[in-house]
Amino acid sequence: MELEGIIDDIIYQNEVNSYTVAIFQTEQEEITIVGYLPFVNSGDTLKIIGKFTEHKEYGTQFKVQTFQKIMPKTLGALEKYLAKGNIKGIGEVTAKKIINKFGEDTIHILKYDPIKLVSIKGITEKKAIEMSESFIQNWEIWQIVGYLEKFGISLENAKKVYKLLGENAIKEIEENPYVLIDVTRGVDFKHIDKMALELGVSYDNDKRIESGIKYALIKTTYNGHCCTLKQNLIEYVIELLDVTAEIVENNLINLKVKNEIVIEQRAKKEEWVYLYNFYKAEEDVAKGIIRIDHSENIKKVKNIEAKLYNIESTTEIILSEKQKEAVKAINNHNVTIITGGPGTGKTTIIKTIIDIYKQQKYKIVLCAPTGRAAKRMTEATGEEASTLHRLLEIGKFNDDDILKKGQDFEGAPIDADIIVIDEVSMVDIFLMNYLIKCIYRGTKLVLVGDVDQLPSVGPGTVLKDIIASEEITTVHLDKIFRQAAKSKIIINAHRVNSGEPFLSKEDIEQEEMNQDFFFIKQNNQEEMLKQVISLSNGRLKEYGDYDFFQNIQVLTPTKKGILGTKELNKSLQEVLNPKRKNSPEKNSLGATYRVGDRIMQIKNNYEISWEKNAEKHEIGNGVFNGEMGTILKIDEKEKYIKIQFDDEKISYYEFEELEQIEHSYSITIHKSQRKRI
């Protein structure tokens, strides 16, 4: 629906993305509005389009989908607008004087004949010109919002475009539509290219070719790469833009001269092309890690052999020679990598390090890339672990900031003597760059992970590349410990990594193994679906008391088809959490949500609030892509869903926000890497 009114008061406005909560006065009533409202101030008259929603705590709100700033329609509204301090040099008293003096001609005077303002006592000619310029600037800025909608750029990103391009944004975009490729993500290149060609841009225009090259490199990063082979890049751009290789080559040189790309020559005369920010992030991570490692080892513990002996004597921990080597390496170096597959003793090393360094009164910080990984780390060590996002307080920045300007951020130094990061294979180049910039000289950094896991969802294979550089001390754990060796899962994981087939009955006596791995060969998709449902709905419960909601996760390589996540989630929900009489449901984007459903957050949301631990009353903001939880309540009257995530935090989602979640009875293998199931 569409409403017109005045912004009476702004209750909250996020400086980064302009998410706003405000009191809006219409002719009939006063309402609360929420949404992305860049360039909006108290006193502004707006035409807003959206819908009313019910918030569990704040009641009825109008959620703005889009808006238009319009001229005040009454003298009272105009005086209110001027009196709010939006125009330089005009406050309540001056606003009243201007309205009383010029009445209906006020806007015309401010825009076209400001010298007449001098007739009001206290307004000089210079001040009158400043008032006029400020008034015009305020009215012109908002036009950018409507203009950008033509390019599919949301209200959320409009302020970002204005910040980068300034008051001449529309002029700059009209002169060079391709500039939008540089300043915001997610725009449709083909749409922009079509508009540019219609405006008369030639096929071989340098701006067009350069933007095509940068767009191709950005697409490469969406697939997790920081760079691409130059020849592959040239071939892609030729097809994308219908130009010659010579033109692409010339523009690669132009971009290199302007430091917008980096072309790196490696062995075998291969040339690799980076966007500058990605190259700089890699370079900064490399230099940063060397800086930390080469700093004075001020946290080194004396008599480490005695400390190890004491731990083995007073605890149930018995370390292998390789594990002792790892502990000594951590003691002797500021940066150490511990890598190995499942069951090779990485967690035991972390626990030993904690015991030794706590005795020295050193502060140890444990963290991991995801909430689930941090929770597992806490359970395994008995010490509190946090996510990297929370440790680094990244919630105050948005994803594009970290991606585009990651090397420019200077975060607050982490208060720690030793930082241990688990599951480092999930950490991308920008998150690692941000982390490294927050570590003091003299702090020890321990990176723990398995290079055979899937790479990070974001760009870069950080752990693998650091190990391959051979610049940082790395301890490779390859022995499967006796307890772990009883698991067929662990044994088969190592066999697959070595190119060997699964264990057969002849390989090892069944009584020595846990029956935790079964291979069911099936070529028919319908039969495979029956097997999955049967295993999830009773067979594994009967076999080993495995409860689906506590112990089982279905993984699949794809989202599509009857064995993809979408259809599997529907089938599994139907048998595991069917419709119940008098139990509320909520339909959203083709999915039906019920109390008890397993769900996953599928995008970073830095704004959403959460609470946990009723006794300590912990509160905070931010739920991140890949976090999983369970629906506790669906409130049809207040129109919200209550979700408890696996790290115990509870959040409330308005019905309008459900595009952020999806069912997680089944998830893709790539999503599972975030969960480390």
Side-chain angles (χ1 to χ4, degrees):
M1 62 188 300
E2 182 179 295
L3 300 174
E4 279 191 24
I6 300 171
I7 297 289
D8 189 60
D9 186 31
I10 291 180
I11 299 170
Y12 167 81
Q13 191 165 56
N14 185 292
E15 292 182 5
V16 175
N17 59 20
S18 294
Y19 182 81
T20 303
V21 180
I23 302 300
F24 191 70
Q25 184 71 55
T26 70
E27 288 185 1
Q28 293 79 28
E29 61 181 337
E30 185 180 88
I31 62 174
T32 301
I33 64 172
V34 297
Y36 297 101
L37 301 172
F39 319 126
V40 165
N41 302 295
S42 292
D44 284 352
T45 301
L46 304 181
K47 180 185 290 182
I48 58 176
I49 297 173
K51 61 175 69 174
F52 281 103
T53 63
E54 289 292 326
H55 189 279
K56 70 171 185 70
E57 186 174 347
Y58 302 115
T60 302
Q61 298 178 333
F62 189 87
K63 192 165 187 177
V64 180
Q65 295 172 346
T66 186
F67 76 97
Q68 180 182 359
K69 191 173 178 181
I70 57 179
M71 287 286 186
K73 292 187 174 180
T74 67
L75 289 179
L78 180 57
E79 182 180 336
K80 194 171 187 178
Y81 170 72
L82 296 175
K84 287 291 185 178
N86 300 317
I87 309 302
K88 186 176 180 181
I90 302 179
E92 289 185 24
V93 175
T94 304
K96 184 176 285 295
K97 288 179 179 179
I98 292 173
I99 295 296
N100 289 340
K101 177 77 174 177
F102 299 107
E104 300 288 349
D105 294 328
T106 297
I107 291 175
H108 179 83
I109 296 295
L110 283 167
K111 290 180 74 174
Y112 305 113
D113 202 2
I115 297 303
K116 288 186 177 179
L117 293 169
V118 176
S119 63
I120 295 175
K121 187 177 179 179
I123 299 180
T124 64
E125 185 174 326
K126 180 182 177 183
K127 194 173 182 181
I129 298 299
E130 287 178 346
M131 288 176 178
S132 176
E133 289 175 347
S134 179
F135 181 83
I136 292 169
Q137 181 189 53
N138 270 270
W139 282 105
E140 287 184 346
I141 285 174
W142 69 264
Q143 295 180 40
I144 295 169
V145 178
Y147 181 79
L148 291 174
E149 282 188 327
K150 295 191 297 184
F151 295 90
I153 294 175
S154 65
L155 294 175
E156 184 178 358
N157 287 321
K159 187 173 183 180
K160 189 186 308 174
V161 173
Y162 173 73
K163 276 185 175 181
L164 293 167
L165 299 183
E167 295 170 29
N168 295 320
I170 293 176
K171 183 181 177 183
E172 282 200 41
I173 293 167
E174 286 179 340
E175 290 177 353
N176 177 23
Y178 300 107
V179 73
L180 291 171
I181 298 293
D182 296 331
V183 298
T184 188
R185 300 181 76 205
V187 293
D188 185 342
F189 178 83
K190 291 184 178 179
H191 179 58
I192 292 173
D193 190 40
K194 183 171 182 261
M195 292 186 71
L197 292 171
E198 288 173 355
L199 288 169
V201 173
S202 63
Y203 268 72
D204 60 355
N205 181 283
D206 286 347
K207 290 177 181 176
R208 178 174 187 259
I209 311 305
E210 290 178 3
S211 294
I213 291 170
K214 287 186 282 188
Y215 171 73
L217 288 170
I218 289 169
K219 283 199 69 175
T220 296
T221 68
Y222 291 166
N223 293 323
H225 306 294
C226 291
C227 60
T228 188
L229 276 167
K230 180 181 174 183
Q231 189 54 44
N232 292 348
L233 174 65
I234 291 172
E235 290 173 5
Y236 179 86
V237 176
I238 288 172
E239 185 175 347
L240 176 71
L241 302 179
D242 192 21
V243 292
T244 65
E246 182 182 3
I247 289 174
V248 179
E249 286 269 16
N250 290 339
N251 280 276
L252 282 169
I253 294 170
N254 293 342
L255 287 169
K256 183 178 178 182
V257 169
K258 292 188 289 186
N259 280 332
E260 293 188 48
I261 66 170
V262 175
I263 301 176
E264 183 179 71
Q265 189 158 330
R266 301 184 188 170
K268 301 178 183 177
K269 296 185 178 180
E270 287 182 345
E271 289 184 298
W272 292 79
V273 186
Y274 292 79
L275 286 167
Y276 177 80
N277 286 348
F278 287 79
Y279 181 84
K280 191 67 167 59
E282 279 198 359
E283 183 179 57
D284 285 354
V285 168
K287 289 180 177 179
I289 286 180
I290 294 298
R291 167 183 59 81
I292 297 167
D293 195 41
H294 289 187
S295 300
E296 184 181 355
N297 189 1
I298 58 176
K299 303 299 188 322
K300 184 174 183 178
V301 175
K302 296 179 181 179
N303 302 319
I304 191 69
E305 292 277 5
K307 300 289 191 299
L308 287 170
Y309 177 79
N310 184 56
I311 283 175
E312 290 188 313
S313 301
T314 57
T315 68
E316 296 180 356
I317 294 176
I318 303 296
L319 299 171
S320 69
E321 289 304 312
K322 202 73 171 178
Q323 287 175 315
K324 290 179 182 178
E325 177 191 333
V327 173
K328 292 174 186 176
I330 293 167
N331 192 49
N332 291 329
H333 300 87
N334 285 329
V335 183
T336 311
I337 296 172
I338 309 299
T339 184
T344 55
K346 299 189 294 294
T347 300
T348 300
I349 293 170
I350 295 173
K351 290 168 70 174
T352 304
I353 289 298
I354 292 170
D355 288 342
I356 290 175
Y357 286 90
K358 279 183 72 175
Q359 291 174 16
Q360 308 302 309
K361 308 299 182 185
Y362 285 144
K363 183 174 181 180
I364 301 168
V365 168
L366 306 180
C367 56
T370 68
R372 174 66 69 87
K375 184 180 179 183
R376 286 171 59 89
M377 200 177 188
T378 298
E379 292 169 348
T381 64
E383 300 287 331
E384 187 66 30
S386 72
T387 64
L388 277 170
H389 277 77
R390 197 145 290 130
L391 174 69
L392 300 173
E393 298 181 351
I394 284 178
K396 61 187 176 184
F397 304 116
N398 62 38
D399 292 340
D400 283 353
D401 286 332
I402 296 167
L403 177 65
K404 286 185 172 294
K405 297 185 178 180
Q407 72 274 9
D408 296 329
F409 282 118
E410 295 294 341
I414 299 168
D415 180 19
D417 298 303
I418 301 166
I419 301 169
V420 182
I421 306 173
D422 200 8
E423 307 289 8
V424 181
S425 63
M426 297 187 213
V427 178
D428 66 38
I429 192 67
F430 284 97
L431 187 56
M432 180 60 77
N433 188 24
Y434 193 96
L435 168 70
I436 295 298
K437 288 178 180 291
C438 297
I439 298 178
Y440 279 113
R441 287 179 181 270
T443 300
K444 285 186 176 291
L445 176 63
V446 183
L447 305 175
V448 183
D450 180 359
V451 292
D452 290 322
Q453 278 191 325
L454 290 167
S456 61
V457 174
T461 52
V462 177
L463 180 64
K464 185 177 180 181
D465 290 346
I466 296 174
I467 293 172
S469 74
E470 299 184 350
E471 292 291 329
I472 300 300
T473 301
T474 302
V475 179
H476 297 268
L477 304 173
D478 50 18
K479 177 186 175 183
I480 304 175
F481 282 83
R482 184 176 178 182
Q483 190 63 31
K486 294 180 179 179
S487 167
K488 281 187 176 181
I489 295 174
I490 290 176
I491 294 293
N492 281 321
H494 285 270
R495 289 176 69 91
V496 168
N497 284 338
S498 301
E500 301 175 58
F502 296 144
L503 286 169
S504 65
K505 292 181 180 180
E506 291 74 28
D507 288 323
I508 195 162
E509 292 295 325
Q510 290 291 333
E511 59 267 18
E512 295 180 13
M513 301 288 290
N514 291 327
Q515 290 286 353
D516 58 5
F517 181 95
F518 302 90
F519 176 61
I520 301 172
K521 188 174 181 178
Q522 182 57 255
N523 296 322
N524 182 281
Q525 291 194 41
E526 285 76 13
E527 290 301 319
M528 289 170 71
L529 177 60
K530 290 178 183 178
Q531 292 279 6
V532 170
I533 292 173
S534 174
L535 288 163
S536 302
N537 191 32
R539 276 168 65 189
L540 288 173
K541 177 74 173 175
E542 292 175 4
Y543 170 76
D545 197 26
Y546 294 113
D547 176 74
F548 183 89
F549 293 94
Q550 298 296 323
N551 314 111
I552 299 171
Q553 178 66 62
V554 177
L555 305 181
T556 179
T558 182
K559 294 181 179 180
K560 299 178 181 179
I562 67 170
L563 294 175
T565 53
K566 189 173 182 180
E567 295 303 321
L568 272 173
N569 274 316
K570 288 180 179 178
S571 298
L572 289 166
Q573 182 197 40
E574 197 57 38
V575 296
L576 296 168
N577 193 25
K579 179 178 176 63
R580 295 179 180 85
K581 189 176 181 180
N582 299 324
S583 182
E585 294 183 346
K586 174 58 184 172
N587 295 316
S588 176
L589 301 176
T592 300
Y593 292 104
R594 298 169 183 153
V595 173
D597 276 346
R598 290 289 292 160
I599 61 90
M600 174 186 280
Q601 179 81 7
I602 58 173
K603 62 190 290 189
N604 288 340
N605 184 334
Y606 299 99
E607 302 296 330
I608 194 166
S609 60
W610 53 260
E611 57 192 45
K612 70 175 179 178
N613 196 330
E615 292 181 2
K616 295 182 180 179
H617 191 55
E618 294 180 45
I619 59 173
N621 292 85
V623 178
F624 302 107
N625 185 10
E627 294 196 53
M628 291 172 67
T630 302
I631 294 177
L632 299 184
K633 181 180 180 181
I634 298 176
D635 193 315
E636 293 178 312
K637 182 179 179 181
E638 300 297 330
K639 295 182 169 46
Y640 71 82
I641 286 181
K642 180 181 181 181
I643 298 173
Q644 180 170 335
F645 289 92
D646 289 346
D647 60 358
E648 307 301 326
K649 63 175 178 278
I650 293 174
S651 290
Y652 297 84
Y653 286 67
E654 296 177 27
F655 284 173
E656 300 299 322
E657 298 174 315
L658 297 185
E659 77 280 355
Q660 300 177 48
I661 65 171
E662 64 183 20
H663 284 115
S664 63
Y665 294 92
S666 171
I667 62 177
T668 62
I669 293 169
H670 269 82
K671 280 287 186 185
S672 76
Q673 71 177 302
R674 288 185 171 272
K675 308 317 301 168
R676 190 64 177 94
I677 294 166

